[in-house]
Amino acid sequence: MGRKLIMIVFPRLLSDLLDEMGGPRAGHLALDFAWHVLDLEREGIEEPVLSACLEYIEAAHEAIDLGEAVPRLLEVRERLDAVAERRVSNMFFLAGEAQFTVDAARVGVGLMLDKAYERGPFSHPSCLSVARQLQAEVGRWAVQHSEGGADERLVARRARWEEARWQVLHILRTEPNPHNDAG
């Protein structure tokens, strides 16, 4: 008798896990994913931007838990915008780390910010789209920091896969068992 080989493809599994996820849990996960990438790239991020990104993630977690855009969230977002805009020449663009942090926060607090700033509702990204964006960021970062002569496509692919693997494992570590009441 032959044994069946089961292959787990982390990006596909991640897609399956996050496809239906919404609400506060999706917001918290997107923020956790962004925090992880900031931690990976910590040494290459200028200090005012790194601190502002990390503080914004903390404020967004707090706002999601409270269910409203607390004043701290609005203050930290303005500070993040200010330090991130100073890093680039065009005032309408944020530094890359700040942009993916903002996108991750939009999953959980976007509607709150729309209401707080008295603007119509915008389209906000899903946790899955943020997870994929962050995988691409890790791939880009890995290529930038790879040794000369390395196959850049392979370096990027490996880094994206590792990030997807981390994301899946994080979900499995933090999500409650949906079958815990089954007999």
Side-chain angles (χ1 to χ4, degrees), residues 9-157:
V9 179
F10 286 110
R12 176 68 184 156
L13 179 56
L14 181 67
S15 179
D16 290 345
L17 289 169
L18 293 179
D19 200 29
E20 300 293 321
M21 189 174 295
R25 191 63 204 132
H28 282 299
L29 284 171
L31 292 166
D32 292 348
F33 296 165
W35 186 286
H36 181 252
V37 174
L38 290 167
D39 197 41
L40 287 175
E41 299 181 4
R42 180 175 294 270
E43 293 178 18
I45 303 172
E46 292 179 19
E47 181 43 47
V49 174
L50 178 62
S51 295
C53 287
L54 295 175
E55 188 176 7
Y56 188 53
I57 287 173
E58 289 176 4
H61 275 301
E62 179 183 322
I64 291 169
D65 287 340
L66 295 173
E68 62 182 82
V70 292
R72 177 177 177 229
L73 178 68
L74 303 176
E75 293 165 8
V76 173
R77 171 60 196 264
E78 289 174 14
R79 193 164 39 252
L80 174 61
D81 288 347
V83 298
E85 287 172 359
R86 279 188 233 131
R87 275 218 25 228
V88 293
S89 58
N90 187 329
M91 66 182 242
F92 297 104
F93 292 98
L94 297 177
E97 308 84 25
Q99 187 60 59
F100 70 68
T101 301
V102 167
D103 288 347
R106 286 175 56 213
V107 173
V109 299
L111 293 174
M112 294 176 198
L113 290 174
D114 293 346
K115 185 176 178 182
Y117 289 123
E118 297 179 349
R119 59 183 181 212
F122 284 88
S123 173
H124 299 289
S126 68
C127 188
L128 179 58
S129 67
V130 167
R132 288 179 177 154
Q133 174 190 0
L134 293 169
Q135 291 165 23
E137 167 60 24
V138 169
R140 182 202 60 73
W141 183 83
V143 167
Q144 272 187 331
H145 293 85
S146 65
E147 294 182 16
D151 181 344
E152 291 183 358
R153 290 181 318 165
L154 185 58
V155 168
R157 187 176 338 146

